[in-house]
Amino acid sequence: MEPFSSHRGLVAILDRANVDTDAIIPKQFLKSIKRTGFGESLFFDWRYLPDGEPDPQFVLNFPRYQGASILVARNNFGCGSSREHAVWAVMQYGFRTIIAPRQEIGGAQVPGFADIFRNNSVKNGLLTIELEAPEVDKIFEMVERNSGLEATVDLDEQRLVLHLPEELAFHFEIDPVVKKHLRHGLDDIALSLEHEASITAFEKQHNPQMYRA
Amino acid sequence: MAKTLFKKVWDAHVVKTLPDGTVLLYIDRHLVHEVTSPQAFEGLRLSKRTVRRPELTFSTLDHNVPTDDPFNIKDPISKAQVEALIKNCRENGVTLFDYATGHQGIVHAIGPEMGITLPGLTVVCGDSHTSTHGAFGGLGFGIGTSEVEHVLATQTLRQTPTKTFKVEFTGRLQPGCTSKDMVMKLIGLIGTAGGTGYVMEYCGEAVRALSMEARMTICNMSIEGGARAGMIAPDDTTFEYIAKGDRPYAPRGEALDKAIAYWRTLPTEDGAEFDRVITINTAEIAPQVTWGTSPGMVTDVTGVVPDPDKVPGYSRRDVEQALEYMDLKPGMKMTDIRPNTIFIGSCTNARIEDLRKVAKLVKGRRKADSVRVMVVPSSQQVRRQAEAEGLDKIMTDFGAEWRHAGCSMCLGMNPDQLKPGERSASTSNRNFEGRQGKGGRTHLVSPEMAAAAAVEGHFVDIRNWDGLKALNA
Ligand code: SF4
């Protein structure tokens, strides 16, 4: 996995909440046994017309968003199935970062990202940034008003900067474990296997087939 | 301090707490299917690693299996995926329940029915509906493919402790209402992200009264409420389910007695604290039907398609987009909606009990001319049992298609798909755009509600539908 430190790129917006993994990458593309080749199928049903041509009405097909590498969406992005193909598709399309709002809905905090999607993102080096809803509203507004707007995401500083004539910066929170992971592009399995002796010791006293009395 | 069920299961599986606060959590059962595993096995191969505990890993074929002729996968890409799993299992010594074993089925159906899923265990699978297994009082949750590889290589996962959410269902269900209605009601109340970051524990009188199969339906849909896992404390209903029937992997004899003694120690203790609590009066739950493209877009069958400004948790635009996709107008009565496909299947609601109830409701009747009815048992074992009871005959006399086990039209990775514009009443768990086929429109309901819709050609309030009498006959 590639380490993530900072990234500058074009920002695109997708004005939808609850973008589910079936929308991100429909099932027919899950039949692949490879880890690559998913970028073309990202948002397939929204992105293409029945004849296979790109749908000019779909926002990511707008000329102004070509080459975007930062996506801004609404809350609960990536809900639905556990398919890691969703993260692969997002990254292989060219996104390095997704931004979504945490929001209070019906008295409860609704997160920007669904749990499994967020987990899968970390494993692949995709940075998911959660901001407050008004901040995300502001970003939507700025992107709509300023064609070609770029942003820089700085993971060390936990800062997102919109490159407007007068720069607009946002601070974001991130779990320190996730941050370290992304920053160093860590291989989880190798890390866990460093604790192999502990796993073996645990297995001696834990019998998953039989149960302790 | 009084402990929750979750905490007890969690603590029993902590291999080590790492300096950064994450926990290496031991995994007792790793379930595998063909869709989310090939890249994980490939990763193992490339890094020259092996499966640490192949005897704790079980796999089956479900998503791609054609339900008309399971031996004959016509789509070459599906076939390659299935063959990859067969090869990966063979090379790594992993048990595979393929068609020839007689135990093939949806991964979340076969775990419980074969006694692989038991109380107190950690169960994972590269599939979000792994939450189903929590019905036995273990911790079951879905993982991505990188984590599948991690479990294969280490039999552990790196996890951070989760918050807990107590969902108490007081009172009792009305006749004709089911555990599906309970969980759909819950999702309607908390929203599809309301459970994100939590493990749910379902409790209360109404939950205690449910069978194991009905409990699995609730836990199954925890993920639709955002929670990765849902749990129900094990009790005599659980132990009886495990003790009875053909469950080759369940403990027996003295081992079972010892296990039950341990399982009895698992339930949440009085005074244990939860991070969030909700209480729902089960007696007030009406049959639920979804009207939109998210499981939280749900209402009582007695209700109407809502006004876009009046749906808690969804913006006006979300609702308008959903209604346009569903081709519904605000104010339309739910009972006026006319599905043309009735899908009885999936890991949510295609176990033997579900099929028995549907059979009772449709026995001696004929389906409405306007509908196609598909009945897809969740496993080969369920299919055999149903045939032994003559349920297949009742279904086919009704005009339904009696099919082979698999995921089928729950997500249509196999040929079972809705065509654009078709409308289903489905016993599955997701009504996302395109989920059952591009342009297909899905209304999620209980099996009983699906059966009644198949008879009448439109949704009915099953509570005062005259056919309901047959359920208790
Ligand atoms: S039946 Fe549906 S929800 Fe269940 S495992 Fe299969 S595809 Fe997933």
Side-chain angles (χ1 to χ4, degrees), chain B residues 306-312 314-316 319:
Chain B
D307 183 324
D309 278 326
K310 297 207 179 94
V311 186
Y314 294 94
S315 69
R316 179 179 179 90
V319 176

Side-chain angles (χ1 to χ4, degrees), chain B residues 62-63 106-108 127 129 220 346-347 407 410-411 429 435:
Chain B
D62 50 13
H63 287 61
I106 305 173
V107 66
H108 311 305
D127 194 288
H129 288 101
N220 175 276
S346 90
C347 59
C407 294
C410 174
L411 93 166
N429 46 49
R435 170 80 180 180

Side-chain angles (χ1 to χ4, degrees), chain B residues 18-328:
Chain B
L18 304 173
D20 64 8
T22 56
V23 161
L24 263 195
L25 195 71
Y26 199 78
I27 302 303
D28 296 323
R29 298 287 185 272
H30 187 190
L31 309 177
V32 171
H33 64 60
E34 76 274 19
V35 181
T36 52
S37 65
Q39 296 88 350
F41 280 109
E42 180 67 10
L44 272 195
R45 239 188 316 272
L46 291 174
S47 49
K48 301 206 170 34
R49 291 175 179 135
T50 53
V51 179
R52 184 179 177 89
R53 298 292 300 269
E55 77 282 14
L56 301 182
T57 314
F58 299 89
S59 71
T60 189
L61 302 163
D62 50 13
H63 287 61
N64 280 283
V65 177
T67 61
D68 52 349
D69 183 0
F71 283 109
N72 187 7
I73 303 182
K74 294 195 190 80
D75 175 352
I77 313 174
S78 283
K79 197 164 175 199
Q81 192 166 59
V82 163
E83 281 167 358
L85 182 64
I86 295 171
K87 180 167 160 283
N88 286 331
C89 289
R90 199 183 297 132
E91 286 177 6
N92 291 283
V94 170
T95 303
L96 169 69
F97 301 114
D98 65 5
Y99 206 80
T101 62
H103 290 292
Q104 172 266 342
I106 305 173
V107 66
H108 311 305
I110 65 170
E113 77 187 11
M114 296 190 72
I116 295 169
T117 304
L118 297 168
L121 297 184
T122 49
V123 182
V124 299
C125 173
D127 194 288
S128 59
H129 288 101
T130 311
S131 57
T132 312
H133 305 266
F136 287 78
L139 178 62
F141 56 95
I143 56 180
T145 298
S146 296
E147 289 178 311
V148 170
E149 188 180 334
H150 193 283
V151 178
L152 289 173
T154 70
Q155 204 59 36
T156 66
L157 274 175
R158 297 165 84 87
Q159 293 283 302
T160 39
T162 314
K163 291 180 287 178
T164 51
F165 190 162
K166 174 177 167 178
V167 181
E168 186 177 8
F169 287 99
T170 58
R172 289 296 184 97
L173 280 166
Q174 298 175 55
C177 298
T178 70
S179 67
K180 179 73 162 279
D181 301 302
M182 289 162 68
V183 68
M184 286 172 64
K185 178 80 195 177
L186 169 70
I187 297 164
L189 290 170
I190 66 167
T192 52
T196 307
Y198 295 94
V199 165
M200 292 185 178
E201 182 179 338
Y202 304 103
C203 60
E205 185 192 350
V207 173
R208 295 266 72 89
L210 295 174
S211 69
M212 280 319 290
E213 306 213 336
R215 292 179 187 184
M216 284 188 247
T217 302
I218 297 196
C219 288
N220 175 276
M221 287 190 74
S222 303
I223 184 72
E224 273 63 53
R228 276 174 93 182
M231 303 174 86
I232 294 175
D235 60 11
D236 288 337
T237 305
T238 321
F239 309 145
E240 196 181 319
Y241 177 96
I242 293 165
K244 281 195 182 153
D246 175 20
R247 312 203 190 287
Y249 292 87
R252 287 288 178 260
E254 205 184 314
L256 178 62
D257 295 340
K258 266 171 101 176
I260 290 177
Y262 170 53
W263 296 338
R264 286 198 194 280
T265 68
L266 290 173
T268 294
E269 290 156 20
D270 285 345
E273 280 181 23
F274 290 83
D275 297 293
R276 192 177 167 192
V277 178
I278 187 173
T279 304
I280 297 172
N281 181 356
T282 314
E284 286 173 4
I285 298 176
Q288 302 289 299
V289 185
T290 62
W291 48 263
T293 53
S294 159
M297 295 176 168
V298 63
T299 189
D300 297 352
V301 67
T302 49
V304 296
V305 177
D307 183 324
D309 278 326
K310 297 207 179 94
V311 186
Y314 294 94
S315 69
R316 179 179 179 90
R317 202 192 45 245
D318 292 342
V319 176
E320 282 172 348
Q321 266 163 2
L323 292 184
E324 190 189 327
Y325 182 85
M326 293 297 289
D327 191 26
L328 293 173

Side-chain angles (χ1 to χ4, degrees), chain B residues 331-397:
Chain B
M332 183 176 179
K333 281 161 86 176
M334 294 306 289
T335 48
D336 285 342
I337 295 174
R338 306 185 68 87
N340 50 28
T341 303
I342 311 292
F343 173 65
I344 293 164
S346 90
C347 59
T348 314
N349 274 129
R351 286 175 282 267
I352 188 70
E353 253 181 45
D354 298 315
L355 301 190
R356 283 182 189 137
K357 286 188 186 141
V358 169
K360 275 190 172 177
L361 290 171
V362 305
K363 190 175 180 183
R365 291 178 177 264
R366 194 64 206 162
K367 72 173 182 65
D369 289 337
S370 55
V371 300
R372 169 191 186 193
V373 184
M374 290 172 74
V375 184
V376 187
S378 58
S379 69
Q380 280 182 293
Q381 190 168 323
V382 168
R383 186 176 144 98
R384 268 195 307 276
Q385 177 70 30
E387 288 179 352
E389 296 174 20
L391 307 186
D392 56 322
K393 180 83 174 44
I394 296 172
M395 305 283 191
T396 49
D397 286 350

